[in-house]
Amino acid sequence: MTALILFMIMFAYLGGSISSAVLISRLYRLPDPRAHGSGNPGATNVLRTGNRSAAVWVLLLDILKGTVPVYVAWYLNISPLYLAFIGMAACLGHMFPLFFHFHGGKAVATALGTLLPLGMDMTGLMLLTWLVCLGLFGYSSLASLITALLAPLYVYFIKPEYTLSVALLSCLIILRHHGNISRLYHRQEKPIIERFKRDDRAGKE
């Protein structure tokens, strides 16, 4: 492993450690996402505050945390296996951020960002899968889990040389969702769609 690859891994981790959800919530004067809703500092939990603009900013910044280091590494002709390590470093930074006492999120958006350099066809399939699953089941966590499971299959048919890299990222995302898997199994997970339907009804009354 060369010094360049080590530098990119460190760069990815430190960039991932910048908690977009916490910073945007402070900027918008919203509750700290680590102490609100699900306690997960991510776009979905920021959305639970009712501020959709803030949630969109969190989503975009979390995606960029994955896209920037992987794209730079891809541009530098770093091999697919090491691209996986760099992408995982960005996700680990989001999950265990150095700058925020290692209390991070699930890294779903950041993982999606690491896949953007593979092309818009892959990104479109991932987003479509997540949206369809969210619409069918109403659970953001379940939509993320199904998308993570299908991602290696999608990349196998689009760019098979990256299958192992994407599979490693998918395993990381699924492991991070162990609490959600338990709540889904025991039917204790709260659907996100139901919450917004209630908010919309309340707004019309």
Side-chain angles (χ1 to χ4, degrees):
M1 187 178 295
T2 66
L4 175 62
I5 294 171
L6 287 172
F7 171 80
M8 289 304 303
I9 289 173
M10 292 175 60
F11 171 71
Y13 173 77
L14 292 174
S17 291
I18 301 172
S19 182
S20 308
V22 175
L23 295 177
I24 293 295
S25 293
R26 289 176 182 173
L27 181 64
Y28 277 78
R29 297 183 180 179
L30 299 173
D32 190 324
R34 296 168 296 181
H36 172 268
S38 66
N40 178 56
T44 301
N45 201 29
V46 173
L47 190 58
R48 289 189 175 97
T49 65
N51 195 313
R52 300 182 183 184
S53 172
V56 169
W57 276 110
V58 172
L59 178 64
L60 291 175
L61 291 172
D62 283 351
I63 288 173
L64 282 174
K65 289 195 300 187
T67 301
V68 172
V70 172
Y71 183 79
V72 171
W74 173 81
Y75 182 79
L76 294 171
N77 294 316
I78 292 175
S79 68
L81 179 60
Y82 291 123
L83 284 179
F85 292 157
I86 292 166
M88 289 178 71
C91 292
L92 285 170
H94 182 88
M95 294 174 180
F96 308 103
L98 177 66
F99 309 126
F100 293 88
H101 309 292
F102 302 100
H103 185 180
K106 303 293 174 57
V108 175
T110 303
L112 175 64
T114 66
L115 300 178
L116 279 174
L118 297 184
M120 293 307 297
D121 45 2
M122 181 67 187
T123 306
L125 277 172
M126 298 284 288
L127 285 173
L128 181 62
T129 302
W130 190 86
L131 288 171
V132 168
C133 292
L134 182 65
L136 287 175
F137 306 112
Y139 296 96
S140 175
S141 56
L142 182 58
S144 299
L145 285 165
I146 293 173
T147 304
L149 285 169
L150 291 175
L153 179 64
Y154 291 158
V155 78
Y156 176 78
F157 289 104
I158 296 173
K159 289 190 176 180
E161 65 271 23
Y162 291 96
T163 302
L164 177 60
S165 303
V166 174
L168 290 171
L169 280 171
S170 295
C171 288
L172 185 62
I173 297 300
I174 292 168
L175 286 172
R176 185 61 172 166
H177 279 77
H178 62 89
N180 301 91
I181 294 171
S182 176
R183 288 193 295 272
L184 285 166
Y185 180 78
H186 293 98
R187 299 184 180 181
Q188 296 173 344
E189 187 82 337
K190 295 179 181 179
I192 188 172
I193 286 182
E194 182 179 315
R195 162 70 186 274
F196 294 115
K197 285 181 178 178
R198 289 200 304 267
D199 290 347
D200 288 341
R201 284 198 296 266
K204 293 176 182 178
E205 292 176 355

